[in-house]
Amino acid sequence: MADKKQLRIGLVGTGLMGRAHANGYNRIHNFFPALQYEPKLVAVCSRNEEKVKAFAAQWNFESYETDWKALVAREDIDAVDICTPNDSHFEIALACAAAGKMILCEKPLARTLEEGQQMVDAIQKAGVKTTVWYNYRRIPAVTLAKNIIDSGKLGKIYHYRANFLQDWTISEDLPQGGEGLWRMDVGAAGSGVTGDLLAHCIDTAMWLNGGITDVSAMTETFVKQRMHQLTGKVEPVGIDDACLFHCHFENGSLGLFESTRYARGHKALYTFEVNGADASLKWDLHDMNRLEYFDHRDESNLRGWRSIHITDGDHPYIKNWWIPGCGIGWEHSFVHQVADFLKSLEDGSKCSPTFEEALQTQKVCAAVIDSANSKSWKDTHVDGKYVW
């Protein structure tokens, strides 16, 4: 519409997350028409010209680049969306900050805490707006869980537990590194399941339950050597295949977290449960449109777990979609994050998690790896003012 303000987007990366983000931008016009801003897909960047040209045509980008530095330098771009492997987040984000661009960055923020801190310093100095794509916050059932916890209905929180289980790396013949398998290469990823999967669990946990103060962890790399796709040589594996940790939250509750890529039969089993003095709730990604809720204050003869179907108009985000009873999917969480970012341009609010907030998750991840390596408890040094 002519009266809409435009946010001119440059997207770097055309893999899975590039597609997820591009879909998010493309759906805004149809399902969030009340927003004052709308995304304009100006340019997309990838090193392979044939692939990036096809991506631009498929996802409605006006142009393409094969060098991310050229994209960042363009004056017709307001915001850069970083959908690249973890090892390039740092360099691209610093260049965006220097150019005064808003930044939307895939998770985790960086490979290491040191990189993440420098990214935060750079965006604070430049005064640019940021967000990090921890998309599970914006699944309606998870947002409803946040609203319930914030209302105090659970009472004092005693326990938080979460897991994220996959099975795709079990084969010893699977190589590491290169396109499609960079998550297996510690140089590209920074860590294994800790930064890839547990980072999601940690972000959600601190959003729902407050800061994590200290951790005790163990990790395991089950296959010690794999062929590297870029060198053709068998090399040591530096990532963690599995990680377990327990922790204390700032509110006094206890946390228990598990993640692995060696849980045969699980492709993406992400669950969490929160136990309070008065009530509990739990959620499962495999049944993402339901939130399970137990309230001890119910009449004793009616007391039990209830399953809330998150498809009604008074549930978070749902009024923008279909009629009650019709569910939505994983991809909609990215649409919601785009919508929230555009809304934040209207009212001047933050679109959480910002770089500063995502740095707190990076601190916990770093403490987890440090604890596992040293076989000791480690403080996280999470700054509670950045945990929302």
Side-chain angles (χ1 to χ4, degrees), residues 291-366:
L291 184 68
E292 305 295 321
Y293 181 75
F294 176 93
D295 197 323
H296 187 69
R297 292 159 295 198
D298 291 342
E299 296 177 50
S300 61
N301 62 332
L302 299 176
R303 192 180 296 145
W305 283 93
R306 69 186 73 166
S307 179
I308 307 169
H309 196 209
I310 314 298
T311 62
D312 217 338
D314 56 357
H315 290 136
Y317 300 107
I318 293 295
K319 66 180 181 181
N320 293 90
W321 297 103
W322 315 116
I323 60 173
C326 296
I328 62 173
W330 174 82
E331 73 275 15
H332 293 79
S333 62
F334 297 92
V335 184
H336 298 157
Q337 183 140 359
V338 174
D340 286 348
F341 191 81
L342 296 174
K343 183 65 176 178
S344 76
L345 298 177
E346 293 180 18
D347 58 25
S349 62
K350 297 177 181 179
C351 184
S352 293
T354 62
F355 272 28
E356 291 91 344
E357 294 161 0
L359 183 66
Q360 309 314 308
T361 294
Q362 198 82 45
K363 289 179 180 179
V364 177
C365 289

Side-chain angles (χ1 to χ4, degrees), residues 39 69 83 91 112 131 149 156 161 207 225 237 253 263 270 295 301 307 309 317 329 342:
K69 293 179 181 178
C83 296
E91 186 179 9
T112 66
T131 195
I149 292 169
K156 179 178 174 59
R161 64 187 63 84
W207 186 54
Q225 293 183 318
V237 175
S253 61
Y270 175 21
D295 197 323
N301 62 332
S307 179
H309 196 209
Y317 300 107
L342 296 174

Side-chain angles (χ1 to χ4, degrees), residues 15-85:
L16 168 63
M17 302 320 300
R19 297 196 304 273
H21 294 195
N23 178 70
Y25 295 123
N26 275 287
R27 299 282 72 80
I28 289 295
H29 175 77
N30 302 109
F31 292 97
F32 289 82
L35 291 168
Q36 295 176 16
Y37 282 82
E38 66 178 4
K40 181 180 181 182
L41 302 182
V42 174
V44 59
C45 179
S46 184
R47 288 172 292 187
N48 185 308
E49 184 170 8
E50 182 180 355
K51 288 183 178 180
V52 74
K53 183 178 180 180
F55 187 98
Q58 179 179 356
W59 294 102
N60 301 317
F61 285 85
E62 296 177 349
S63 62
Y64 65 87
E65 301 282 354
T66 56
D67 183 347
W68 67 260
K69 293 179 181 178
L71 182 142
V72 171
R74 288 178 56 157
E75 295 184 358
D76 60 345
I77 289 175
D78 303 310
V80 175
D81 189 342
I82 304 172
C83 296
T84 57

Side-chain angles (χ1 to χ4, degrees), residues 10-12 68-69 71-74 77-82 88-105 119 122-123 126-130 355:
L11 177 72
V12 186
W68 67 260
K69 293 179 181 178
L71 182 142
V72 171
R74 288 178 56 157
I77 289 175
D78 303 310
V80 175
D81 189 342
I82 304 172
S88 55
H89 291 186
F90 173 75
E91 186 179 9
I92 298 174
L94 262 57
C96 290
K101 309 290 188 185
M102 292 180 252
I103 311 171
L104 302 93
C105 185
M119 291 164 70
I123 63 98
V128 296
K129 191 176 187 67
T130 65
F355 272 28

